[in-house]
Amino acid sequence: MALPYPLPDDPRKWDGWKLYNSNNLYERLGLSYEENPGQQLIEECCRQLLLWWQKKLPLKSQPNNPLAQLLGKAIDEAPRLITQAKVVLLDKDQRAVHDQQLVQQSHVSALEEFQKFISFSLADKRLTPSAENGLYGMGRNLGLSDQMIAEAIEQSLLEYGAVRYDPEAAAAENAAKVIAEAEAKAASLQASAKAAAVNGEQSTGAAPAGQPDPEGFQELVEQWKEKTEWGELEDEDKEKLLKWAVNFHLPEPWAKAIMDDEEYDPDAEAKEKAAQEEKKKKMAAAASAPKSTASNYSPEQEKGMFPPFTNDLGMQMIYIPSASFKMGCVSEEAAHNEEPQFDCSLTGYYISKFPVTFAQFEQFAPEHRSKRPAWANENHPAVMVTWEQAGKFCDWLSSKDGRKYRLPTEAEWEYAAKGPQNRRYPWGESEVAGALANFADSSTNFHWSDPTVNDGFAQSSPVGSFPLGISPFGCEDMAGNVWEWCKDALGDYKSSAQTNPCPSAGAQRVVRGGSWRSKANSLRTTARLGQMPSYFANDIGFRVVCVRPVIKSA
């Protein structure tokens, strides 16, 4: 926080005068506790404010003047309270006491806000490891210590009657139980078969020992699904189940078919081999035939083939032509995770001009209306959304609109932001200014805030508020406002050339673009961070990609 220079003479053009009686003595002087102002700054701010109020004294004799009515008793009280603030802050002992009170008040406010996130996470009276990790991330963002976070979580678990629940561990325990039962069943059937053979009889049973037991494996798969968080098998789940399939004497293709709810064809392997041979023939024929894929068209030709459109939710979708570009950054300002730079090739795609708004997201999840921050309206980017929820929104939109939507890959996001010119920021190489993006400016209270810039918003802003910050392809809000989820898992770059990269191995998912809480450096087109898929915050949103139709050969 900083006093504007010069101070506007008209109090209607400056709301800072209303802080003259704030319990926060720093605010009375137009300062902030986080800045740790020195004696000279405190005295200078006090001097400017007392001079401002002195000029308002003649209004006391003009009771019908609108400004006199606006300021009211503050004309008499403000000089005394401002002077009092200066005296306390210039006294080492009194200031220490006041600072401690502010810290305590800050913790109380932060805990109240943190409690909202805990309530959301414990809605089903279960706390998963990923949700707890997300709570720790949010608590740290609010300035809480790990001890305070842990105590708040433990207290809430007791109050809600909730328990910690690890879906993977529960599924593994249940799977072990099912496997043990299956092995016992197999042993019993084997014993029966031997006894029948001795007596010259034919044994009965659905799955004799050593024979495939698809029913038993199906039971294991269904019980595993019931214990997962979303009722679906992830790649890691399938890998573990495949290892256990041998206990049911099932070949891998049969086990995969059961996990994917598909019928198993005994001739599948032979058919697959024949299909691969046919594919090789087609690829060889395609190599010698005239090319007809979109990558052989110029960007202008591709744009003509895939015009922009507006979908059922009113999202403006912009086409990004197929291209190859340098992904990452090698400049001195780059973080270690932006290197090494490598050659990246992308197939053309559509991307939304703006991040998804509350109005659009709430058509998918009406209950999300309660999670809007106090400052946000329906045209602000939808925040408090996890990576998992963003993916489900894309699935819902695909069903509603009839086109395939998903989160952008990190490569797609970066190219849409910086274009073929390899821009440092979406608008070019120039430094961040208040007319270009919403970031941590003078209206925010972070220690990294830029006191020389005011972008007009203390928190998030309605989408499209910074048209001068547009990317080369016409996308807006790609720098600042809110971080945006990408489809990829966060990982280290590789120097080798890649085509349509989208790594999935890793615990965290990528966020791009910076936010209203970010310093200017985080708004660069190559800056990247990671968060857990279950994490949500008031400065993380997302935009969508629409997969283009396939261009078929003539």
Side-chain angles (χ1 to χ4, degrees):
M1 182 184 299
L3 289 177
Y5 182 83
L7 287 177
D9 187 60
D10 189 342
R12 292 170 297 189
K13 297 181 180 180
W14 176 54
D15 287 338
W17 69 267
K18 297 177 182 178
L19 298 174
Y20 74 92
N21 60 352
S22 171
N23 290 330
N24 184 330
L25 301 185
Y26 293 94
E27 290 184 348
R28 292 189 194 179
L29 298 176
L31 300 169
S32 70
Y33 163 73
E34 290 78 7
E35 293 174 343
N36 190 27
Q39 176 180 343
Q40 183 176 354
L41 182 57
I42 292 172
E43 291 179 342
E44 177 59 22
C45 289
C46 180
R47 185 190 67 78
Q48 291 186 39
L49 287 168
L50 290 178
L51 181 60
W52 190 88
W53 283 104
Q54 184 179 13
K55 293 179 180 178
K56 304 299 178 286
L57 289 176
L59 293 174
K60 294 175 63 177
S61 60
Q62 305 172 36
N64 294 326
N65 188 310
L67 294 184
Q69 295 173 0
L70 175 65
L71 296 175
K73 63 181 181 180
I75 298 176
D76 290 320
E77 295 180 355
R80 174 178 58 82
L81 294 175
I82 290 171
T83 302
Q84 179 191 58
K86 182 190 78 168
V87 171
V88 171
L89 295 182
L90 290 181
D91 183 279
K92 180 179 179 181
D93 294 335
Q94 293 187 71
R95 180 171 177 173
V97 172
H98 179 66
D99 289 354
Q100 183 61 33
Q101 293 173 345
L102 290 181
V103 171
Q104 292 174 353
Q105 292 170 6
S106 174
H107 285 166
V108 170
S109 300
L111 283 170
E112 291 176 352
E113 183 70 14
F114 185 54
Q115 191 61 48
K116 298 177 183 178
F117 300 116
I118 295 179
S119 299
F120 177 76
S121 298
L122 298 182
D124 60 354
K125 297 189 180 301
R126 297 193 303 183
L127 181 63
T128 64
S130 60
E132 188 163 7
N133 286 336
L135 287 174
Y136 269 87
M138 178 57 68
R140 290 164 184 154
N141 284 345
L142 291 171
L144 299 176
S145 67
D146 284 1
Q147 180 180 351
M148 297 173 71
I149 294 170
E151 291 174 353
I153 292 175
E154 293 299 332
Q155 182 178 350
S156 296
L157 286 171
L158 291 174
E159 292 177 354
Y160 284 84
V163 296
R164 286 184 171 84
Y165 174 72
D166 188 339
E168 184 173 338
E173 180 180 350
N174 189 66
K177 179 180 178 182
V178 173
I179 289 173
E181 293 174 353
E183 290 175 340
K185 178 181 176 182
S188 176
L189 290 171
Q190 187 177 25
S192 298
K194 289 181 178 179
V198 170
N199 297 322
E201 301 173 354
Q202 184 173 355
S203 63
T204 60
Q211 296 299 312
D213 183 11
E215 291 81 7
F217 187 69
Q218 179 71 52
E219 181 182 356
L220 170 62
V221 170
E222 292 302 323
Q223 292 185 14
W224 189 286
K225 286 182 178 180
E226 290 176 3
K227 300 301 181 180
T228 61
E229 189 168 1
W230 300 103
E232 298 178 357
L233 297 179
E234 300 292 341
D235 290 343
E236 294 180 0
D237 299 321
K238 293 181 179 180
E239 290 177 5
K240 293 177 181 178
L241 285 168
L242 280 177
K243 294 178 181 178
W244 285 323
V246 297
N247 293 281
F248 300 88
H249 308 291
L250 295 178
E252 184 174 310
W254 198 344
K256 286 183 176 180
I258 292 175
M259 289 188 290
D260 295 332
D261 295 324
E262 298 175 353
E263 293 187 5
Y264 175 66
D265 184 353
D267 299 325
E269 186 173 351
K271 291 179 180 179
E272 176 66 19
K273 185 175 181 180
Q276 291 295 332
E277 291 297 327
E278 183 65 22
K279 183 177 180 181
K280 289 179 181 179
K281 292 179 181 179
K282 289 183 178 180
M283 290 177 65
S288 60
K291 305 297 182 182
S292 59
T293 59
S295 60
N296 296 294
Y297 295 94
S298 70
E300 291 73 20
Q301 288 174 319
E302 273 199 43
K303 286 184 177 180
M305 298 165 66
F306 301 104
F309 68 91
T310 301
N311 66 17
D312 290 349
L313 290 189
M315 293 179 178
Q316 299 177 53
M317 303 301 297
I318 296 172
Y319 184 71
I320 311 295
S322 304
S324 295
F325 71 105
K326 292 287 187 181
M327 186 167 178
C329 183
V330 294
S331 70
E332 293 182 356
E333 62 184 349
H336 69 88
N337 67 358
E338 297 175 44
E339 300 175 339
Q341 196 174 63
F342 63 94
D343 292 319
C344 180
S345 297
L346 294 176
T347 303
Y349 56 98
Y350 284 95
I351 192 168
S352 57
K353 181 174 183 178
F354 304 109
V356 176
T357 65
F358 275 111
Q360 293 161 346
F361 189 80
E362 288 164 12
Q363 292 188 52
F364 158 67
E367 69 279 4
H368 200 77
R369 175 67 179 83
S370 63
K371 298 181 179 65
R372 276 195 210 173
W375 67 76
N377 61 36
E378 64 178 11
N379 293 321
H380 280 239
V383 295
M384 308 299 290
V385 176
T386 68
W387 178 86
E388 296 156 338
Q389 291 170 329
K392 289 184 177 294
F393 172 86
C394 293
D395 294 340
W396 170 83
L397 180 57
S398 298
S399 176
K400 176 180 175 62
D401 190 63
R403 303 179 180 92
K404 174 61 178 176
Y405 291 88
R406 56 171 171 78
L407 289 174
T409 66
E410 188 177 13
E412 289 169 341
W413 192 101
E414 182 171 318
Y415 185 60
K418 70 182 184 181
Q421 302 91 342
N422 198 31
R423 292 180 176 178
R424 179 186 180 201
Y425 297 102
W427 55 82
E429 302 303 309
S430 62
E431 295 293 339
V432 181
L436 297 172
N438 180 3
F439 69 111
D441 64 352
S442 60
S443 64
T444 60
N445 293 324
F446 312 116
H447 65 79
W448 58 84
S449 299
D450 188 337
T452 66
V453 178
N454 188 333
D455 58 42
F457 297 93
Q459 293 93 16
S460 67
S461 51
V463 299
S465 296
F466 296 86
L468 295 180
I470 196 168
S471 83
F473 296 107
C475 299
E476 298 189 34
D477 294 293
M478 298 200 82
N481 206 6
V482 296
W483 289 97
E484 298 178 15
W485 286 114
C486 292
K487 186 179 180 181
D488 316 42
L490 180 67
D492 295 332
Y493 285 160
K494 298 179 181 178
S495 58
S496 57
Q498 299 180 52
T499 299
N500 297 324
C502 184
S504 60
Q508 295 186 321
R509 295 297 179 265
V510 173
V511 290
R512 286 295 202 114
S515 78
W516 59 269
R517 299 167 62 99
S518 301
K519 56 186 178 181
N521 189 57
S522 296
L523 274 58
R524 293 178 300 104
T525 58
T526 55
R528 56 200 298 257
L529 290 178
Q531 295 289 359
M532 298 299 293
S534 59
Y535 180 74
F536 53 89
N538 61 12
D539 68 335
I540 298 182
F542 68 104
R543 70 178 70 220
V544 300
V545 152
C546 180
V547 179
R548 74 175 195 193
V550 175
I551 298 180
K552 298 182 179 179
S553 302

